[in-house]
Amino acid sequence: MHYPEALNKLMVALGKLPGIGPKTAQRLAFYLLNAPADEARDLAAAILEARRQTHYCSVCGNLTDRDPCRLCTDLGRDDSVICVVEEARDIVALEKTRQYRGLYHVLQGALSPVDGIGPDQLNIKGLLQRLQGGTVKEVLLATNADTEGEATALYLARLLKPLGLKVTRLAYGIPVGSDLEYADEITLARALSGRREMV
Amino acid sequence: MHYPEALNKLMVALGKLPGIGPKTAQRLAFYLLNAPADEARDLAAAILEARRQTHYCSVCGNLTDRDPCRLCTDLGRDDSVICVVEEARDIVALEKTRQYRGLYHVLQGALSPVDGIGPDQLNIKGLLQRLQGGTVKEVLLATNADTEGEATALYLARLLKPLGLKVTRLAYGIPVGSDLEYADEITLARALSGRREMV
């Protein structure tokens, strides 16, 4: 089947997005061709505009439209704790809990030797600079719970503990609302070893 | 959590796409901000370009970059059969079978009184015009197998049969490669009533 060339290009461009396979790319492309003209135009403009106006905060690495970002300049936040995350979107997830009031630091990735990502490829130098003032007392490592995130947390813990800081890690355990039956054994083992006394 | 305004707009624009919920919109938006600059630019350009260069064929309603489209002007195709589909993307699915060599006609939708779509909202007038020459002997109704598609097929069958045309419908039955066990009873009933003698 011969698609119009421009439609083909659109499907290829959409297919590069994460989690969008050829079938979904086709559906989205046809949708964009049939959608009201301003909806398609808005999306194209929003992509360009977001790229133009959004930058990384020079302090914490968060995505922001001003520098330093709103979180870094918020005087209401506790500047004695820095929570270290892999990606800016992790900040969103943590902020949604409304339980954390400290600052953040985005590594822009995790250690992954296979992908050629070592400590120098991550925003670790920036973190060390922020720790120099002596204001920060605790670093909370909130990297992902996968192999790369774990390796990164271990690496940072070894790097930071000698500086006399409190270094913590998010707790592992069974997700709230989940069935024990469906928890994998590694998670369950972590939940057991991390058990807490009820009060 | 306060997102940069431009990022917010991008998430809203992405969230309007079919099958893209808020979570996926967020993931895609962050991806687009982190992707190489030319990848984001290519996508924005592809959307605008596809809208600019792609039009509906004035004969069959297919999406095309020339008018009439390649299928309508292909002399190798059988012009005695017209296959009626709801959307241009249905043509892609049928062409992939390589079993159909006739022409197409795109209705641009299906009858749906709830959504205010009656016969006048569909491209039926264009179909009737194409049937006037007397070249077309068969109309194959390939609308979807859902309520709207069925209603549309019934409506068209009643409209076209008096014209002395052969009006056919795609066969219903169990999907190839599927387990009988998982077939719903309506499909199974249709497969039974449509059973064919083996040769």
Side-chain angles (χ1 to χ4, degrees), chain B residues 111-177:
Chain B
L111 291 178
S112 176
V114 216
D115 302 317
I117 300 177
D120 291 345
Q121 276 69 50
L122 301 179
N123 183 17
I124 292 175
K125 205 188 282 177
L127 176 63
L128 293 175
Q129 274 167 5
R130 294 178 73 187
L131 301 175
Q132 275 170 358
T135 322
V136 180
K137 308 296 177 205
E138 178 182 350
V139 175
L140 165 51
L141 301 172
T143 51
N144 289 337
D146 54 14
T147 320
E148 290 81 12
E150 270 298 82
T152 310
L154 279 172
Y155 175 85
L156 288 176
R158 272 184 216 150
L159 189 73
L160 302 179
K161 271 192 183 163
L163 306 179
L165 291 160
K166 186 174 170 189
V167 179
T168 54
R169 179 94 172 100
L170 285 184
Y172 289 103
I174 50 167
V176 176

Side-chain angles (χ1 to χ4, degrees), chain A residues 36-47:
Chain A
D38 58 343
E39 195 178 320
R41 217 166 29 221
D42 283 356
L43 175 58
I47 293 170

Side-chain angles (χ1 to χ4, degrees), chain A residues 14-178:
Chain A
L14 288 166
K16 286 186 181 162
L17 297 174
I20 307 288
K23 202 94 186 182
T24 310
Q26 186 194 311
R27 201 182 69 227
L28 293 177
F30 275 95
Y31 172 83
L32 282 169
L33 287 177
N34 284 310
D38 58 343
E39 195 178 320
R41 217 166 29 221
D42 283 356
L43 175 58
I47 293 170
L48 299 174
E49 205 53 21
R51 291 287 301 211
R52 200 156 27 224
Q53 296 197 0
T54 318
H55 308 277
Y56 294 110
C57 171
S58 60
V59 178
C60 74
N62 185 17
L63 280 168
T64 178
D65 48 8
R66 54 160 90 158
D67 193 20
C69 75
R70 283 181 176 76
L71 292 167
C72 285
T73 51
D74 183 347
L75 295 174
R77 299 193 73 105
D78 178 0
D79 59 359
S80 72
V81 197
I82 289 185
C83 173
V84 176
V85 296
E86 293 182 19
E87 308 283 351
R89 60 172 173 268
D90 299 330
I91 295 182
V92 183
L94 287 161
E95 282 298 289
K96 275 187 185 153
T97 66
R98 295 168 179 267
Q99 297 293 308
Y100 179 73
R101 295 297 303 163
L103 302 176
Y104 289 96
H105 191 82
V106 183
L107 294 173
Q108 314 292 6
L111 292 178
S112 177
V114 217
D115 302 317
I117 301 177
D120 292 345
Q121 276 70 52
L122 302 179
N123 184 16
I124 293 175
K125 205 188 282 176
L127 175 63
L128 293 175
Q129 275 166 6
R130 295 177 72 187
L131 300 176
Q132 275 171 358
T135 322
V136 180
K137 308 295 178 204
E138 178 183 350
V139 175
L140 164 52
L141 301 172
T143 50
N144 290 336
D146 54 14
T147 320
E148 289 81 11
E150 269 298 83
T152 310
L154 279 172
Y155 175 86
L156 288 175
R158 273 184 216 150
L159 190 72
L160 303 178
K161 271 192 182 162
L163 306 179
L165 292 158
K166 186 174 169 189
V167 179
T168 54
R169 179 91 174 101
L170 286 183
Y172 289 102
I174 50 167
V176 176
S178 70

